[in-house]
Amino acid sequence: MKNEHSWSERRAYTERRRNPDRRSQPDEVSGGYRYPPWQEQKIQFITRYVFLVLGVLFFNTVDGIAPANWPVSQLNIAFLVYFFLNTVFFLHARRNTVHPLRYHVAMWVDIGMTSICVLNDPYSIPPSLLVYIMVVLGNGMRYGMRLFAESLVGCFTAATLVLSARYLISGTAVPPGLIFMNLFGGIILVYSYILMGRIERTRHELELHSSLDTLTGLLNRRALQDVAHTMFQRLQRNQQKFVMLFADLDKFKAVNDELGHAAGDLVLKTFADIVRSSIRATDIAARFGGDEFVMLLEDTA
């Protein structure tokens, strides 16, 4: 028993070293991702549909406008495929708002559709290049720094390849205005990434302080509800088991009555320290209220 207990303590210590802040912060921002609510994601899907309609109208209804490299029929097939995929993502997001894989796939579908439009834009300096900026900002500012970096690199790479293909196919020289437009756009995105990083750090610190119980340093009741909602969605998707522990301190009122509230506060702090040292870094502990505490243990029988 002693050896088993020592092994458990060493494992818990190692996990806490890897991720020391897990028990004291909400799961809304985790692993570089931000998990926005459904209403915020719905706005992004509506924006995608708006840009889709504008693209269809631009290439199909404007007099004198024809795709630079593809027939209109092929371009319309691409629009139809994009509409289908976006609708699938939309329906999936209504049921599962927390799904990082969908965030990535939908972002790359956006980049692909934008690249097709840039490739077929009839203007020498294609205004559709601006949509890349929308893709980067729309995904990066909504889903966190991880997608921000990926979309930034993805859009830069896609824009470079598509523009190279445009001028290799046409055999014309690259206009200087296009080079400067790309430089300005790149500077704007990199600057936005730097600012977004600072905003995310500040927001994270504010959320961290607002989510902690000031006395014990554990999550407070509001943060517990937010964390539990996100956690249950993830566990339901992955079919994982978990254990919820609910504990209160017997005769705690007597401590306050006989020894004073300062002694009662010391008891609560000490108990919180015991809880923190007894659970894994992946587990969640919160003060539910008064002398009541809740622990959520993932992947536990």
Side-chain angles (χ1 to χ4, degrees), residues 58 118 121-132 181:
F58 176 74
V118 173
D121 198 314
Y123 294 100
S124 58
I125 301 179
S128 52
L129 277 172
L130 297 175
V131 182
Y132 281 125
M181 181 179 177

Side-chain angles (χ1 to χ4, degrees), residues 8 47 57 68 84 97 136 142 149 162 172-173 177 185 210 228 231 237 239 267 291 293 298 300:
S8 298
T47 304
L57 293 177
F84 173 76
T97 56
V136 174
R142 183 168 280 108
V162 170
T172 59
S210 66
M231 174 183 169
R237 185 176 68 248
Q239 298 296 312
V267 169
D291 63 340
F293 297 82
E298 290 191 46
T300 302

Side-chain angles (χ1 to χ4, degrees), residues 43-293:
I43 293 174
Q44 183 185 33
F45 282 107
I46 293 174
T47 304
R48 285 170 171 150
Y49 284 120
V50 169
F51 274 90
L52 174 62
V53 171
L54 290 176
V56 172
L57 293 177
F58 176 74
F59 285 105
N60 286 272
T61 63
V62 178
D63 292 335
I65 295 296
N69 295 292
W70 290 13
V72 176
S73 59
Q74 290 185 10
L75 192 56
N76 286 335
I77 291 175
F79 284 135
L80 185 61
V81 171
Y82 179 76
F83 173 80
F84 173 76
L85 293 175
N86 195 45
T87 302
V88 171
F89 297 146
F90 176 84
L91 296 175
H92 185 268
R94 289 183 63 183
R95 300 191 309 270
N96 302 281
T97 56
V98 179
H99 203 285
L101 178 60
R102 188 189 65 247
Y103 305 159
H104 287 273
V105 175
M107 180 197 72
W108 283 103
V109 170
D110 290 342
I111 293 175
M113 190 66 241
T114 303
S115 300
I116 291 174
C117 291
V118 173
L119 181 65
N120 290 281
D121 198 314
Y123 294 100
S124 58
I125 301 179
S128 52
L129 277 172
L130 297 175
V131 182
Y132 281 125
I133 297 178
M134 294 293 296
V135 172
V136 174
L137 297 180
N139 287 281
M141 298 183 74
R142 183 168 280 108
Y143 300 110
M145 298 304 295
R146 187 167 178 174
L147 246 71
F148 204 134
E150 183 175 331
S151 61
L152 187 61
V153 173
C155 284
F156 266 132
T157 304
T160 301
L161 293 176
V162 170
L163 291 176
S164 299
R166 276 175 58 101
Y167 292 100
L168 284 175
I169 293 172
S170 64
T172 59
V174 179
L178 180 60
I179 297 175
F180 279 98
M181 181 179 177
N182 287 340
L183 288 175
F184 288 142
I187 291 171
I188 290 173
L189 291 177
V190 171
Y191 186 61
S192 299
Y193 179 81
I194 295 172
L195 290 180
M196 188 63 186
R198 294 179 179 177
I199 293 172
E200 279 291 306
R201 286 192 293 271
T202 302
R203 187 176 65 83
H204 175 72
E205 291 175 0
L206 291 174
E207 286 187 349
L208 181 60
H209 289 299
S210 66
S211 67
L212 296 183
D213 175 66
T214 55
L215 179 63
T216 63
L218 301 178
L219 293 181
N220 56 33
R221 184 170 180 171
R222 180 195 61 80
L224 173 65
Q225 292 173 336
D226 293 339
V227 170
H229 176 73
T230 302
M231 174 183 169
F232 291 159
Q233 284 190 324
R234 186 176 66 253
L235 294 180
Q236 184 179 22
R237 185 176 68 248
N238 298 330
Q239 298 296 312
Q240 288 180 271
K241 295 180 179 179
F242 76 98
V243 168
M244 182 176 73
L245 303 178
F246 187 92
D248 62 16
L249 304 183
D250 293 341
K251 301 179 181 179
F252 178 73
K253 185 176 183 299
V255 176
N256 282 333
D257 293 342
E258 296 177 13
L259 302 177
H261 288 283
D265 289 348
L266 181 59
V267 169
L268 294 174
K269 291 178 183 177
T270 303
F271 181 74
D273 290 339
I274 293 172
V275 170
R276 256 191 298 267
S277 63
S278 303
I279 63 176
R280 301 166 299 181
T282 54
D283 298 328
I284 295 166
R287 184 185 180 192
F288 195 71
D291 63 340
E292 299 172 335
F293 297 82

